Amino acid sequence: MRCNSLDFIFDYFQQIPTMDLEEITFSGWTAIEEKKLHAGEKPKDEKVYTMYHGTFLKYVQRIITSGFQRSSDGMLGSGVYVSRNIDKAKCYPLNADKKEAVVLKLKVRVGKVKKIDIDNHPLQKSWHQNGYDSCWVPPNCGVTAIKSGREEDCVWDPARIVVVDVACCLDDKTRWDLRKQIRGMNNHGAKDGCSQCHQNTSNTGSHPIQSCWTCNKQICPFQKKHMCNK
């Protein structure tokens, strides 16, 4: 009679004695973010990076409370324009009085990234329609529209961007007031922020707050660090 190989494997494992598994106690974690990239290094798909965005002061409060809005067009088409180079962000808005300009520090989840490194690239304005979440122009790649030669990024979905700080603001009081607003929204668990991880949740919905299985402290699975008190 022909032996069925699957039956043989099943019978073999049935003969292996079962082992009692030891319970492993795990209490807490520390999340490690992706290392800082060099200027000419392409963002890795699905990673989170620190970037910057320069805008008018009069728009900042709306951005903090309601998030970014996609531009209707631009060198890379529709999207939110950001850069890992803070000096690039400091140049915006173009021709603005520095008293009216603010640079926001962001955390950006880039998703799938398309590299645009030549003039008239076939996907220069259609990268999103071709399955990409963001696009990246490397520094000094020869794209003539970028006179400074500094790298530039464009993100399609504003929900991928979280404002974490005010990087530059000429007026000290205004800068601290804006920082307080950013922290306050998240720390108090308002509708736009998680009370534990302090991330803006206006576009993602509330996070599942749970009790730690060891110390019973309220935790969010998205917070960067948790250490039990016990």
Side-chain angles (χ1 to χ4, degrees):
M1 185 174 89
R2 185 175 179 181
C3 176
N4 186 301
S5 59
L6 291 178
D7 289 340
F8 174 79
I9 294 172
F10 178 77
D11 290 340
Y12 173 78
F13 280 104
Q14 285 285 85
Q15 299 174 31
I16 298 177
T18 58
M19 295 181 294
D20 293 330
L21 297 178
E22 294 184 3
E23 182 179 351
I24 298 175
T25 301
F26 174 77
S27 301
W29 69 84
T30 300
I32 300 176
E33 294 188 4
E34 185 71 11
K35 69 174 184 177
K36 185 176 180 181
L37 298 178
H38 298 297
E41 190 175 353
K42 179 183 176 182
K44 295 181 181 178
D45 290 353
E46 305 302 336
K47 298 297 183 181
V48 177
Y49 296 101
T50 297
M51 298 191 189
Y52 302 91
H53 176 86
T55 188
F56 284 105
L57 175 61
K58 61 183 179 181
Y59 298 142
V60 172
Q61 187 170 11
R62 187 193 67 195
I63 292 172
I64 292 172
T65 57
S66 303
F68 284 94
Q69 294 181 351
R70 277 193 299 270
S71 63
S72 58
D73 199 3
M75 182 191 73
L76 301 169
S78 179
V80 181
Y81 285 76
V82 294
S83 179
R84 304 200 312 260
N85 189 324
I86 190 172
D87 291 325
K88 170 80 172 181
K90 287 179 179 178
C91 296
Y92 291 86
L94 294 174
N95 303 316
D97 186 326
K98 293 303 180 182
K99 294 180 180 179
E100 300 299 323
V102 173
V103 176
L104 296 173
K105 183 179 179 180
L106 318 167
K107 289 293 184 183
V108 181
R109 182 166 52 90
V110 294
K112 188 177 180 182
V113 182
K114 179 60 184 176
K115 180 180 179 181
I116 305 292
D117 57 355
I118 57 172
D119 283 332
N120 302 313
H121 190 287
L123 298 185
Q124 184 166 332
K125 292 195 175 186
S126 60
W127 44 271
H128 175 67
Q129 290 78 4
N130 285 271
Y132 294 92
D133 300 299
S134 57
C135 67
W136 171 64
V137 180
N140 303 309
C141 65
V143 173
T144 54
I146 303 181
K147 305 299 183 183
S148 67
R150 297 172 178 139
E151 72 97 47
E152 186 165 335
D153 306 79
C154 186
V155 181
W156 172 260
D157 186 357
R160 291 182 170 274
I161 305 172
V162 176
V163 178
V164 296
D165 198 5
V166 177
C168 299
C169 180
L170 201 60
D171 183 73
D172 289 340
K173 184 179 185 305
T174 301
R175 180 171 66 252
W176 285 109
D177 286 346
L178 291 173
R179 283 177 170 173
K180 184 178 179 180
Q181 184 180 359
I182 293 170
R183 292 193 299 266
M185 280 180 52
N186 297 329
N187 290 341
H188 294 300
K191 63 179 181 179
D192 293 327
C194 174
S195 60
Q196 302 301 318
C197 72
H198 312 314
Q199 293 184 32
N200 189 307
T201 57
S202 58
N203 294 303
T204 61
S206 59
H207 290 170
I209 305 302
Q210 305 169 13
S211 295
C212 174
W213 51 90
T214 299
C215 68
N216 292 321
K217 184 178 180 181
Q218 292 290 290
I219 58 173
C220 172
F222 295 101
Q223 65 192 67
K224 294 180 180 180
K225 183 176 182 179
H226 169 67
M227 297 298 293
C228 292
N229 296 326
K230 288 187 176 182

